[in-house]
Amino acid sequence: MNQGRIWCVVKPTVGLPLFLGGVAAISLIVHFAVLENSTWFAKFIQGG
């Protein structure tokens, strides 16, 4: 593992939930931005 020494500084029980939570938050932010800034997606969802 390339970055295996990070677990000597941060416990995996703390670091992994933070990492996965960060990935989920970024994903939600990107999806919200696409929904808000596209004109075709709302029409697509409503069947237009």
Side-chain angles (χ1 to χ4, degrees), residues 27-46:
S27 174
L28 290 173
I29 290 168
V30 168
H31 281 84
F32 180 75
V34 169
L35 287 173
E36 288 295 311
N37 295 316
S38 65
T39 57
W40 60 270
F41 197 78
K43 293 176 188 174
F44 174 75
I45 291 295
Q46 294 177 358

Side-chain angles (χ1 to χ4, degrees), residues 2-21:
N2 190 8
Q3 302 296 329
R5 287 182 287 174
I6 189 66
W7 303 121
C8 294
V9 179
V10 179
K11 286 183 169 184
T13 56
V14 174
L16 287 176
L18 283 177
F19 174 73
L20 294 175

